Amino acid sequence: SSALFTYCVSGDDRLARQAIIQLYNSFQPRLGLTASRAPSHRHQFIPHFSLYWIFLLSDHLEYFDDKTFLSRFVAVADANLASFASRIDPQLGLVKLEIRPGIWNYIDWTNEWKPYGCPPICEQTGFSTFTNEIYAYALEAAARIASAVGRSAVADEYRQRAQRVAAAVREHCFDGEFFTDSLVSAQASNILVPRNQHSQG
């Protein structure tokens, strides 16, 4: 949001370019993720933030259309997306959360989600509606970037993957009125499935 504000107010992208490059340089192949903050002597990994970095690339493309600058980042964007794709459950078609030390599945700060900023139901079921929604959105954003740099086949693949995930979210995480925090089927196990504003629309 700071980058978008700067684009609109000044048209100056130098600070945003620096942020894009620093986060790119933080990429860890062993995780397939960019760090959630960079530069930093102590790495921190919030998987959603790797998707937010792709949104930063897409926003830059929209405002500046600098394909030469963005083309160098396509491989790492693809690797970030691949880390999510590797965790898609074959039965549900949804990305499963990676729950282990060193990975922080943060969504937002709220009292009900203390101490880690993630709905408790998501860790109980292993699935987060919000995670899958922004993964699908990131695939669409990456498709725009891939198209812009002449990677039309990759763009088509991303769009198809986004459609499959979006369909799985509608099938498994929509109760007919709202998108729940996690799987609607968890209600059958007497696990309360609350709803949050982040997952709607």
Side-chain angles (χ1 to χ4, degrees), residues 30-194:
R30 66 187 174 82
L31 298 175
L33 298 171
T34 48
S36 54
R37 60 188 181 202
S40 175
H41 71 281
R42 184 177 178 185
H43 282 152
Q44 178 190 77
F45 295 95
I46 301 175
H48 297 147
F49 282 31
S50 293
L51 301 180
Y52 297 160
W53 179 72
I54 294 173
F55 302 154
L56 185 59
L57 300 179
S58 179
D59 289 341
H60 193 278
L61 174 67
E62 181 178 344
Y63 279 84
F64 298 97
D65 198 33
D66 190 340
K67 302 177 185 67
T68 302
F69 173 65
L70 291 177
S71 62
R72 76 180 89 168
F73 307 118
V74 171
V76 167
D78 185 70
N80 282 340
L81 294 168
S83 75
F84 284 80
S86 69
R87 292 184 277 112
I88 289 182
D89 181 88
Q91 279 73 46
L92 299 178
L94 295 169
V95 175
K96 194 169 179 67
L97 291 179
E98 186 173 7
I99 302 173
R100 65 181 178 85
I103 300 296
W104 185 13
N105 293 300
Y106 167 82
I107 295 175
D108 200 359
W109 289 127
T110 180
N111 287 333
E112 291 80 7
W113 296 353
K114 286 183 177 180
Y116 300 116
C118 180
I121 185 66
C122 297
E123 293 200 352
Q124 293 174 35
T125 64
F127 293 95
S128 161
T129 301
F130 178 77
T131 297
N132 282 274
E133 289 172 337
I134 64 166
Y135 170 57
Y137 186 65
L139 285 164
E140 293 285 358
R144 291 190 293 273
I145 298 165
S147 290
V149 300
R151 306 281 299 276
S152 58
V154 173
D156 289 343
E157 177 194 336
Y158 288 159
R159 292 188 188 99
Q160 291 167 11
R161 285 160 58 182
Q163 290 169 4
R164 290 195 296 269
V165 172
V169 168
R170 286 190 296 272
E171 180 179 355
H172 300 291
C173 305
F174 185 64
D175 66 7
E177 184 177 7
F178 295 102
F179 288 96
T180 56
D181 286 353
S182 186
L183 304 175
V184 172
S185 62
Q187 293 177 339
S189 303
N190 296 318
I191 300 173
L192 177 63
V193 183

